Amino acid sequence: MAGSSVVATTKTPVPVVLVMEMATTQMAAVVVLAVRLNSMRSASHFKYILALCCLLVLVSCGGEKNEALIDPRYVVETGEVKLSELVDSMRFIPLETNDECLIGQIRRIKHRNGRFFIQADDRLMVFDEEGRFERVVTKIGDGPDELTSILDYDVADNNNIAVSSGWGIVVFGADGVINKVPIKPASIRRTSNGWLAVTSPLQNGNKMVALDENWDTVGTAMATADFDYWNPDMDLIPLSDHTYFHQIRIGNELFEYDSESGATRQYKIIDSPDVMTPQEYADYNGNLMECPKHIIRYITANKDQILLYVIENPEVFYYIYDKKDHSTARINVRKITDDISGVEIENNSLLGAMSYNDSDDAYFVSYLFGTPEMNAKFVPDFNPSMVECMDDETNPIIVLTKFKTPSEMKSSKYNIYLSANERFYVFLILLMLVD
């Protein structure tokens, strides 16, 4: 039986920048109050009262709604940091190894209903929560229940698996194919009331398609921007229980869809001119690692947080966005010291290989390829009898990482940014308070 270990760390709460919003009527009330107080002409108190009114206006201006997912003005930066200062807990789960389930290259992992659904090499396989192999769902080939390709997949509550293939959507139950749907999505996602698919212009047109539990189409939506395809490598990302978004190209644009109301919204990922736009990505033919602008390379999510992998040459950052309080932490990947594993790992991080993986709980999913010795190092109660080595090859270790919230992470800097108008109000207040 494969075991798991949990690393708990001390939480150090730090303050988070809070932005207060006031409606237009409230701002008007402040102006009226200032005029009435002005009529009092109290030489000893008026400047302080007026300063207070200016402060209220300043706060109201600072709280204007930002349409981007992440506002860089209010991002917590961690600087040099230990892994234990970022992570609430981690679990290490070595996958069973035998001649039926030996894994070479992992394409993606989806953690659903207490199981790991892994697309690896030319197969889609299922492992349980402890890493035990259960079955091969399908593979690429010409035989019964085999597919010409595996583009994406997701899992229903009853563990039926919908696979997007070159033919269309093929639904697998415990005993094989149970349904086929003639839609060819590049990405597919289980929603609270059915399914959501993203198609490409080469297949069914560049759009989102909402389907109900019976696989009937109930709605479609298209992005308003004039781009010829989505980011084909990115899954649909859950923003809430019923809203999902997809990245347009590898750019700074999101297209959001509400699976309950059918409402759509298009907006920026990061509110910054330094981030590459979809059009700039389309026009850029060079090496992305040499691009002068920041590149949002991939986005993944779990139940509580969204993780962005952002290349800011020559550095690489994780942006951890909290869905509940909308705070964000910005973490320099190369400045993380691994004080948890105690072993030398490529790229010096346990957090690698998170792209294209997602989870329906509070953990992010990644993996490490190792040896039985590494398995034993990671997992104190690891049982070597699970591993039947073939040519000294061993299946990877699944790593489940639960990050702290941005407000709990050790911080070296808070981006408290003031616009030109806000700086004017601060100057005015200080000027009035000087005797």
Side-chain angles (χ1 to χ4, degrees), residues 310-360:
V310 183
I311 300 171
E312 300 181 12
N313 289 319
E315 303 295 335
V316 176
F317 289 86
Y318 288 137
Y319 283 70
I320 306 291
Y321 171 83
D322 192 276
K323 297 180 185 180
K324 295 179 181 178
D325 67 10
H326 311 294
S327 60
T328 304
R330 181 170 177 266
I331 305 164
N332 189 323
V333 174
R334 295 190 176 97
K335 293 185 178 180
I336 302 174
T337 301
D338 177 11
D339 61 338
I340 291 180
S341 70
V343 298
E344 191 70 26
I345 302 172
E346 186 178 359
N347 296 327
N348 196 34
S349 177
L350 288 172
L351 305 180
M354 285 187 179
S355 59
Y356 319 129
N357 308 324
D358 68 56
S359 176
D360 58 5

Side-chain angles (χ1 to χ4, degrees), residues 181-196:
V181 185
I183 296 175
K184 300 178 182 180
S187 183
I188 188 168
R189 183 85 194 194
R190 172 69 174 170
T191 69
S192 58
N193 56 356
W195 300 84
L196 192 59

Side-chain angles (χ1 to χ4, degrees), residues 68-113:
L69 179 70
I70 293 175
D71 186 340
R73 298 181 302 173
Y74 309 111
V75 171
V76 174
E77 298 199 23
T78 60
E80 297 279 353
V81 67
K82 295 179 180 178
L83 186 57
S84 61
E85 294 169 333
L86 304 175
V87 168
D88 179 271
S89 61
M90 300 184 81
R91 294 183 58 204
F92 303 95
I93 305 169
L95 296 179
E96 179 180 354
T97 303
N98 59 49
D99 57 358
E100 189 178 4
C101 65
L102 186 64
I103 291 174
Q105 182 178 8
I106 290 179
R107 168 65 176 167
R108 56 166 53 89
I109 303 171
K110 300 202 175 185
H111 189 206
R112 299 283 191 273
N113 309 332

Side-chain angles (χ1 to χ4, degrees), residues 89-150:
S89 61
M90 300 184 81
R91 294 183 58 204
F92 303 95
I93 305 169
L95 296 179
E96 179 180 354
T97 303
N98 59 49
D99 57 358
E100 189 178 4
C101 65
L102 186 64
I103 291 174
Q105 182 178 8
I106 290 179
R107 168 65 176 167
R108 56 166 53 89
I109 303 171
K110 300 202 175 185
H111 189 206
R112 299 283 191 273
N113 309 332
R115 287 179 168 85
F116 298 101
F117 297 82
I118 301 177
Q119 180 185 353
D121 306 315
D122 61 348
R123 295 167 295 168
L124 177 58
M125 296 179 283
V126 184
F127 293 79
D128 71 11
E129 190 77 2
E130 300 299 326
R132 289 181 289 259
F133 172 68
E134 291 190 347
R135 64 189 175 105
V136 174
V137 177
T138 186
K139 64 180 181 179
I140 296 175
D142 299 324
D145 293 347
E146 295 181 351
L147 305 173
T148 57
S149 60
I150 301 174

Side-chain angles (χ1 to χ4, degrees), residues 315-418:
E315 303 295 335
V316 176
F317 289 86
Y318 288 137
Y319 283 70
I320 306 291
Y321 171 83
D322 192 276
K323 297 180 185 180
K324 295 179 181 178
D325 67 10
H326 311 294
S327 60
T328 304
R330 181 170 177 266
I331 305 164
N332 189 323
V333 174
R334 295 190 176 97
K335 293 185 178 180
I336 302 174
T337 301
D338 177 11
D339 61 338
I340 291 180
S341 70
V343 298
E344 191 70 26
I345 302 172
E346 186 178 359
N347 296 327
N348 196 34
S349 177
L350 288 172
L351 305 180
M354 285 187 179
S355 59
Y356 319 129
N357 308 324
D358 68 56
S359 176
D360 58 5
D361 61 16
Y363 287 88
F364 286 101
V365 184
S366 58
Y367 61 90
L368 296 166
F369 277 97
T371 63
E373 290 75 23
M374 185 178 286
N375 281 332
K377 181 73 176 182
F378 275 112
V379 187
D381 56 346
F382 172 67
N383 184 355
S385 65
M386 278 198 67
V387 177
E388 301 171 7
C389 291
M390 295 177 55
D391 300 326
D392 297 324
E393 293 183 345
T394 306
N395 268 349
I397 304 164
I398 298 294
V399 183
L400 298 181
T401 303
K402 183 179 181 181
F403 284 103
K404 297 178 180 180
T405 65
S407 60
E408 294 170 336
M409 293 180 183
K410 181 179 178 181
S411 173
S412 63
K413 177 182 177 183
Y414 301 94
N415 291 340
I416 305 177
Y417 171 86
L418 295 179

